[in-house]
Amino acid sequence: MTLDRRTFLGTTGLAAAAAVLGEGAWRPARADKPVNFSGWVFKPDTVKDYVDFYNRKHGGQVKYDAVPWATYHPTMETRALSGEIVDVMYCNSANRERWFDNGFIRALDDLPGMDELKKKMAPGNLESAKSRDGSKVVGLPYFTSLFILMYNEPMLQQAGIKAPARTWDELVEHCTKLKRDKVSDTPYLPNWNNSGSGTMPQFLSDSFSEGASVFDAKNHVVADQEPGVARAMERWQKVYRDGLVNPEVLTKTSSTDTHRLFWSGRYAYHTNHSYYLKTIAGEPENSKLAPKKAKMAMYPGNGQTHMFTEWYTINAKTKVLDDGWKFAKFLGGNLNGDWYVQRQWCLIAGLDNAYPEMYDHPEIIQSYDRWVDLKLLREQYKKGKTINAFKEPWFSEWDSKAIAIVHNIIRGTTTVPKGLKELAALQKSLA
Amino acid sequence: MKTRRALSESAVAWLFVAPALLAIGLVVAFPLVYSLWLSFTDVNLLRATGPAVELGALRIPLFRWIGTRNYTQVLADPLYWDSLWRTLYFVGAFVAEATVVGFAMALVLNERFPGRPLLRSLLLVPWSLSRIVVGLLWVGILDFEFGALNGLLLRAGLVDSAIAFFKEGWSALNVLVSVYMWNQAPFATLLFLAGMQSISDDLYAAAEVDGAGYWRRLWYVTLPALRPIVFLVLVLATVNGFLMLDLIYVLTMGGPGYDTTTISWHGFKTSFTFFKFGPGTAILYTLTALCLLMTVVYHRLVLARFEPEG
Amino acid sequence: MAALAWLFVTSISYQKNLLARPFHLLPPDVTLDNYRMILGLVRFHAEGQAARMLASMWNSLVVGLVVTAVNLVVGTTAGYAYARFRFAGKTLSLFALLFTRMLPTIVLVPAFFLVFRALGLQNTLTGLVIAYCSFTLPFTVWIMKAYFETIPGDLDKSALVDGCNRFQAYWLVVLPVSGPGLVAGGAFTFMLCWNEFVVAQILNTRPGTTTLPPVIAGMNGQINIDYSVIAASGFLGALPAVILVLVFQKYMVQGLTAGSVKG
């Protein structure tokens, strides 16, 4: 015991000294031409493993750092504006076109091997990968996702509910019953978090599932003219008013934070990005709903949900284009024919993929079977609906400011028609 | 002889203050003026060319002058006015809480009781914490899922379900006020205590002879003597209230909705999330104007009035 | 105080016990793992983030010490002059100082951002030192002025009679008896720097160049880090300032109140 303690203190001191001397400002940069790589925080340990693997196997000099999701894009813009060059960067769809317009990132069409990758991509993903005018590909896919409905099977069974809700009315009905019977305080967990991956994708999904559009063909916001959007919003007001949701979802700062609440088993229904079902239903060490006590059901309404892809992009000012591109292909494509990172993301995190051939791989089929009904998931994918409005220069600011307006609708501090008009007016003020 | 001496004193004095004033001129006055300039321009952070001030290798961009357009745009936004009223409420509530609680703690700590030395030495701890840590710590207490307070209330059976402190904008804003108060009131207490101890015991003794009870003594002896300190506390709290940003950052990010968005947060977001430096500096400059107003008030009420005594 | 104690309790708890209901005020199991994680002694899934703790503490320390040193040298001298001398422009410059003390620092940051970009000072500790002087220096001058006013003027007068010049009287006679004031001003400055968040968050975005508060805030905004680990980093980060205040409290109270009570 004493020995343990002494060893512990000794190593603490050493590690502290090493960290100060090693990680501090004094260490000279040894790598002569490193590729700087930044991403938002999603399983940063896994990304670090990929980078280590790449540096070892492909003789790379990649330096990776992760930036918190909530502030990722502004932080990366600050870094670019301060003159720093990060060669390879994650970029979400809401910001990608603006980054391209402003000259932060470059088109990839002229780079070796890009044409092949274009052929391998699913058509919808390829369309999303292109710039607004459709002439250039500006990113390689990191992952694709869509919103799905998940349910807590034991809880529904306990309450005598035989099948998960097929319509929104049914879902509200179930939740009302569960609350009344004191099975759950807050049976429904919608992904209304404060970040770019929360409230607005949920808003688009529920609007789509009501058969409504949010943007017209010219990418103008028409949410205020669509009865389906209004229906969705009235439902949101109701579940909020009736206390069927955990109200603090509104101040969560990420979808990951939000989905962890579902681990507790205290909720009946959850809507979130598909890959979160993997930790919920597949990680017994974390989630009370694993293994496979949480399941997915087809999205209510007409089954359509919002589908989107996030990207790897290359800095327009990079001084190591060849090395950077090689690394980007390692991440977002098949370097030397190997889909290593794309496949690993499917296996490790359940991230869905822009390259359909991934789903023919037996290892992947087997892995998905452990946490989801893959057939149903692919079915849901067919009903995924993408938007093009994200390519408009005003989109990221609209997307970010719209959150507060939608939150006001949810909380009933503004009426549905008034709030939806504000969404349209906001777009006009930015365009 | 006499004049020469006076002159040289002035010169020496300037030698003494010159480094500080020079430094302040460089790190405060210059950025202040430059920010003011920015608030009248169309700042495009990506454009390296255009008008600029060149000082050797240093090239400070001036951007395109657009007059008061940033201000008219900012002031036309209802969000600005909502944030302003919210800021005024926040500041008012914070000043009231910090002053009252600070004063009450000072009254208690001014009495002799066992444990007073310990309490007094711990008094400053909340004040010495970074507000990032303050925020974290209160998340641990107030959180809906794992907060200690909710845990205790549930366990004691006082509530049926956890309280969502950040659910309503109104309650979130008041939680912010209270948490900030927890952080800042100790400093007010410190000032009050110092003031109380400088009140001569004779005054109390005299009041006691006159038959004044505890509350009367408080009202007729303590409070009048503390007037300058009350003013000081009020003004410091007012200014601190206007400036608070970091707690919002860790606790609410201005939400839910815009319900905890104050002027400083609005300006911060506009400048550093949307990178609109023009409108951003315009918003922040209106905040600066408010602070300047407070300085004048401070000067009038505290300095002008009490300097003759000191 | 209970709040701080709870932060400590949290920092030695396992996340699963924090989430457990019914709630325990004292954790059923105690662990130092959260601290080991942020000190890099055990591997865990977000060690890359946590590893920035020590480097950023070092940055905070450097910035805090340098700013404190600058403040004490420059600010104290000015404070002395304001306390002792009558001179042309005194009232005006004092008012200007008071005004800068009331200034929202955030309004200066866009200017710092652009100027530092031109100078290459973004993402450097030098840049932070410069920016931090903007809000600490007026404070220090003010505190020191008030402190020197509590030292009897006869002291320097007799030094002058003994043949010292003004500077010698200040340097050799007044400063040596001003320990409490210097400690108060220094500790206060250091504390402001150690705890500052917004400026560092904006100006130093490159990993490894920023100070402690943005790193802790980043962990908080970061998914997949247990609250208990964040609590450990918060507690560790708070310790230096808390210890500083506890140790020098007597002087800080003296120095700060000497300044404030007089207005």
Side-chain angles (χ1 to χ4, degrees):
Chain A
M1 199 57 206
T2 25
L3 189 74
D4 270 10
R5 198 176 123 82
R6 199 174 306 141
T7 339
F8 166 65
L9 290 174
T11 37
T12 315
L14 277 179
V20 167
L21 295 170
E23 298 290 330
W26 300 336
R27 183 165 60 180
R30 244 180 312 125
D32 44 349
K33 266 191 170 182
V35 173
N36 290 311
F37 166 49
S38 285
W40 58 75
V41 174
F42 177 79
K43 296 196 181 283
D45 48 329
T46 307
V47 180
K48 195 166 165 287
D49 289 343
Y50 298 157
V51 170
D52 291 345
F53 177 82
Y54 176 82
N55 286 345
R56 251 192 345 265
K57 191 172 173 207
H58 300 280
Q61 297 180 348
V62 175
K63 290 205 317 209
Y64 165 66
D65 66 76
V67 177
W69 161 243
T71 50
Y72 175 79
H73 293 91
T75 303
M76 294 312 290
E77 282 170 49
T78 317
R79 290 171 70 180
L81 292 169
S82 74
E84 193 189 347
I85 299 171
V86 180
D87 306 288
V88 180
M89 303 176 274
Y90 287 19
C91 186
N92 76 347
S93 49
N95 287 278
R96 197 198 64 197
E97 196 66 15
R98 210 165 45 87
W99 283 18
F100 183 60
D101 277 353
N102 286 328
F104 288 149
I105 54 175
R106 82 194 296 289
L108 309 175
D109 302 81
D110 57 330
L111 297 167
M114 188 65 230
D115 289 336
E116 260 169 77
L117 287 176
K118 283 185 205 169
K119 278 179 213 133
K120 301 255 183 198
M121 251 182 255
N125 293 109
L126 180 59
E127 188 51 40
S128 297
K130 286 178 181 163
S131 59
R132 185 165 54 250
D133 59 10
S135 65
K136 303 252 178 6
V137 167
V138 285
L140 288 183
Y142 162 23
F143 71 94
T144 291
S145 187
L146 81 175
F147 260 58
I148 61 167
L149 175 69
M150 313 168 199
Y151 63 97
N152 175 345
E153 193 172 48
M155 185 185 273
L156 292 191
Q157 278 171 351
Q158 184 198 338
I161 297 169
K162 292 202 179 60
R166 265 176 299 264
T167 66
W168 286 115
D169 286 344
E170 222 180 326
L171 187 139
V172 175
E173 207 178 288
H174 289 174
C175 292
T176 313
K177 176 179 156 51
L178 289 163
K179 187 175 173 84
R180 198 181 46 227
D181 298 350
K182 296 202 178 289
V183 181
S184 168
D185 277 345
T186 52
Y188 181 37
L189 183 65
N191 189 10
W192 288 339
N193 80 70
N194 209 358
S195 83
S197 69
T199 304
M200 292 320 287
Q202 181 80 70
F203 174 84
L204 295 177
S205 294
D206 285 26
S207 300
F208 294 162
S209 77
E210 296 275 4
S213 310
V214 174
F215 308 99
D216 67 8
K218 287 181 177 160
N219 291 335
H220 294 152
V221 175
V222 291
D224 54 332
Q225 299 156 30
E226 293 275 331
V229 181
R231 271 201 304 280
M233 289 305 101
E234 268 148 24
R235 190 176 67 247
W236 284 15
Q237 283 190 337
K238 179 180 162 50
V239 292
Y240 184 85
R241 201 174 47 233
D242 295 352
L244 304 179
V245 297
N246 172 350
E248 285 201 346
V249 171
L250 297 178
T251 42
K252 293 279 167 213
T253 52
S254 68
S255 301
T256 307
D257 271 350
T258 311
H259 99 286
R260 293 172 125 204
L261 298 175
F262 203 60
W263 287 352
S264 66
R266 290 203 279 259
Y267 302 84
Y269 287 105
H270 181 35
T271 41
N272 206 333
H273 304 271
S274 56
Y275 51 88
Y276 285 120
L277 186 56
K278 177 154 192 303
T279 77
I280 293 168
E283 290 181 2
E285 67 275 26
N286 289 319
S287 169
K288 291 209 170 102
L289 293 180
K292 282 182 120 168
K293 287 176 195 146
K295 294 190 167 155
M296 85 165 269
M298 211 57 187
Y299 214 66
N302 68 9
Q304 286 195 335
T305 76
H306 175 231
M307 178 162 94
F308 63 95
T309 306
E310 314 281 49
W311 307 94
Y312 298 112
T313 58
I314 294 191
N315 197 311
K317 294 191 180 127
T318 180
K319 296 195 173 75
V320 287
L321 182 58
D322 291 348
D323 293 343
W325 172 240
K326 186 175 156 195
F327 180 60
K329 267 205 298 192
F330 169 75
L331 296 169
N334 57 344
L335 184 63
N336 305 335
D338 184 4
W339 298 100
Y340 180 75
V341 172
Q342 292 284 324
R343 196 173 57 241
Q344 286 298 309
W345 273 134
C346 293
L347 295 173
I348 292 173
L351 293 187
D352 281 305
N353 204 282
Y355 301 104
E357 65 179 79
M358 222 56 56
Y359 296 99
D360 303 333
H361 200 288
E363 204 186 339
I364 285 178
I365 294 171
Q366 202 189 359
S367 155
Y368 273 67
D369 271 347
R370 280 197 286 274
W371 58 272
V372 72
D373 178 348
L374 182 58
K375 247 202 196 134
L376 190 62
L377 183 62
R378 296 309 293 166
E379 199 81 8
Q380 179 73 73
Y381 258 89
K382 285 185 198 136
K383 296 203 171 189
K385 195 170 161 183
T386 56
I387 58 169
N388 259 323
F390 77 80
K391 297 178 180 175
E392 300 291 339
W394 48 264
F395 186 80
S396 73
E397 195 173 343
W398 181 84
D399 193 47
S400 162
K401 289 184 167 169
I403 295 171
I405 299 175
V406 174
H407 281 187
N408 284 340
I409 299 180
I410 293 173
R411 296 180 302 138
T413 49
T414 184
T415 64
V416 171
K418 225 175 125 202
L420 295 179
K421 275 206 182 69
E422 274 178 57
L423 286 179
L426 174 64
Q427 184 244 313
K428 283 190 194 82
S429 78
L430 298 171
Chain B
M1 180 70 190
K2 220 171 178 190
T3 32
R4 240 195 74 199
R5 192 166 163 77
L7 265 179
S8 77
E9 177 169 312
S10 206
V12 170
W14 275 104
L15 277 181
F16 270 68
V17 297
L21 290 186
L22 205 68
I24 289 172
L26 267 176
V27 301
V28 182
F30 166 68
L32 193 63
V33 172
Y34 186 44
S35 279
L36 182 63
W37 173 269
L38 292 178
S39 72
F40 290 103
T41 62
D42 175 23
V43 180
N44 180 348
L45 292 171
L46 294 162
R47 202 171 47 213
T49 53
V53 175
E54 305 208 19
L55 297 165
L58 177 62
R59 188 172 184 286
I60 299 166
L62 289 181
F63 304 105
R64 190 164 58 90
W65 177 270
I66 54 167
T68 56
R69 210 193 309 156
N70 288 326
Y71 286 92
T72 48
Q73 186 199 327
V74 160
L75 296 181
D77 185 353
L79 178 58
Y80 176 85
W81 296 102
D82 289 349
S83 311
L84 181 65
W85 308 137
R86 209 171 286 124
T87 307
L88 294 180
Y89 170 76
F90 180 87
V91 171
F94 168 67
V95 169
E97 274 194 29
T99 313
V100 170
V101 174
F103 187 72
M105 288 200 295
L107 278 181
V108 172
L109 289 177
N110 202 32
E111 301 296 318
R112 277 173 220 286
F113 60 92
R116 183 175 84 148
L118 178 73
L119 272 184
R120 277 192 139 180
S121 55
L122 292 181
L123 173 70
L124 279 184
V125 169
W127 175 74
S128 69
L129 298 176
S130 162
R131 272 182 296 279
I132 297 302
V133 176
V134 171
L136 280 180
L137 183 153
W138 282 95
V139 165
I141 291 170
L142 299 175
D143 192 89
F144 185 78
E145 286 284 328
F146 61 82
L149 183 60
N150 271 323
L152 281 176
L153 288 175
L154 280 171
R155 192 174 168 182
L158 292 174
V159 292
D160 287 337
S161 53
I163 304 170
F165 289 96
F166 296 101
K167 171 184 173 183
E168 300 290 345
W170 181 244
S171 101
L173 192 64
N174 284 305
V175 168
L176 278 177
V177 170
S178 303
V179 171
Y180 197 33
M181 183 277 288
W182 181 85
N183 169 241
Q184 292 285 316
F187 190 68
T189 305
L190 184 79
L191 298 182
F192 282 129
L193 266 179
M196 286 174 185
Q197 268 144 23
S198 65
I199 301 173
S200 133
D201 285 341
D202 299 347
L203 281 177
Y204 286 110
E208 216 157 342
V209 169
D210 290 347
Y214 179 81
W215 295 109
R216 286 181 72 87
R217 288 202 302 273
L218 183 64
W219 186 254
Y220 288 109
V221 181
T222 315
L223 276 178
L226 287 182
R227 248 174 44 195
I229 298 184
V230 173
F231 276 119
L232 180 72
V233 168
L234 287 179
V235 171
L236 284 181
T238 308
V239 173
N240 286 336
F242 276 118
L243 307 192
M244 199 273 284
L245 262 179
D246 23 23
L247 269 185
I248 298 183
Y249 191 98
V250 267
L251 287 180
T252 65
M253 289 263 177
Y258 283 120
D259 288 359
T260 55
T261 296
T262 60
I263 288 287
S264 54
W265 181 256
H266 183 38
F268 170 79
K269 282 278 277 188
T270 310
S271 305
F272 298 107
T273 300
F274 303 119
F275 292 96
K276 295 186 166 173
F277 274 26
T281 45
I283 294 169
L284 293 173
Y285 246 93
T286 60
L287 181 71
T288 309
L290 277 172
C291 290
L292 178 63
L293 194 72
M294 291 318 301
T295 314
V296 175
V297 172
Y298 184 19
H299 192 71
R300 279 273 163 81
L301 291 179
V302 184
L303 279 188
R305 207 145 151 198
F306 296 100
E307 203 153 44
E309 296 170 23
Chain C
M1 270 331 282
L4 193 67
W6 178 246
L7 187 73
F8 179 69
V9 169
T10 314
S11 73
I12 54 167
S13 298
Y14 288 102
Q15 180 80 10
K16 61 171 197 263
N17 288 331
L18 293 176
L19 278 166
R21 294 283 184 263
F23 169 83
H24 299 280
L25 200 51
L26 289 175
D29 308 294
V30 169
T31 173
L32 280 175
D33 270 359
N34 299 320
Y35 287 94
R36 291 201 189 108
M37 284 175 193
I38 52 180
L39 291 172
L41 296 180
V42 290
R43 292 207 55 157
F44 81 117
H45 66 273
E47 57 186 6
Q49 299 353 94
R52 291 193 192 139
M53 274 285 293
L54 287 173
S56 66
M57 270 175 116
W58 173 255
N59 289 343
S60 282
L61 187 72
V62 171
V63 171
L65 287 179
V66 174
V67 173
T68 306
V70 171
N71 268 272
L72 285 185
V73 173
V74 177
T76 306
T77 315
Y80 176 76
Y82 280 119
R84 286 292 192 270
F85 300 136
R86 291 171 175 280
F87 57 98
K90 178 175 168 180
T91 318
L92 186 71
S93 57
L94 256 182
F95 183 75
L97 268 182
L98 185 66
F99 170 61
T100 53
R101 209 180 112 175
M102 299 291 160
L103 211 59
T105 311
I106 180 76
V107 79
L108 307 177
V109 179
F112 282 132
F113 187 94
L114 287 167
V115 175
F116 284 4
R117 180 166 79 161
L119 287 168
L121 284 177
Q122 273 191 12
N123 297 316
T124 66
L125 299 186
T126 317
L128 276 193
V129 168
I130 295 172
Y132 283 8
C133 283
S134 69
F135 61 86
T136 52
L137 208 44
F139 239 110
T140 309
V141 174
W142 204 259
I143 290 177
M144 293 317 292
K145 164 185 176 287
Y147 182 78
F148 286 126
E149 280 166 354
T150 66
I151 295 179
D154 296 346
L155 195 68
D156 357 3
K157 273 187 198 133
S158 58
L160 289 177
V161 170
D162 287 349
C164 290
N165 65 25
R166 276 293 193 176
F167 186 75
Q168 285 167 327
Y170 161 66
W171 191 255
L172 299 173
V173 179
V174 179
L175 264 194
V177 299
S178 306
L182 291 172
V183 170
F188 190 66
T189 307
F190 185 84
M191 204 193 82
L192 284 180
C193 297
W194 182 266
N195 289 339
E196 201 286 331
F197 165 70
V198 177
V199 176
Q201 167 82 10
I202 295 169
L203 292 181
N204 285 24
T205 42
R206 182 187 294 181
T209 61
T210 200
T211 54
L212 190 59
V215 169
I216 298 177
M219 283 172 69
N220 185 39
Q222 221 158 75
I223 45 201
N224 262 331
I225 296 190
D226 285 344
Y227 179 74
S228 52
V229 178
I230 301 172
S233 66
F235 193 78
L236 203 65
L239 272 187
V242 172
I243 291 172
L244 194 73
V245 167
L246 287 181
V247 170
F248 293 122
Q249 181 157 48
K250 202 176 120 209
Y251 297 119
M252 282 180 84
V253 172
Q254 247 179 39
L256 289 174
T257 49
S260 317
V261 174
K262 285 236 170 151

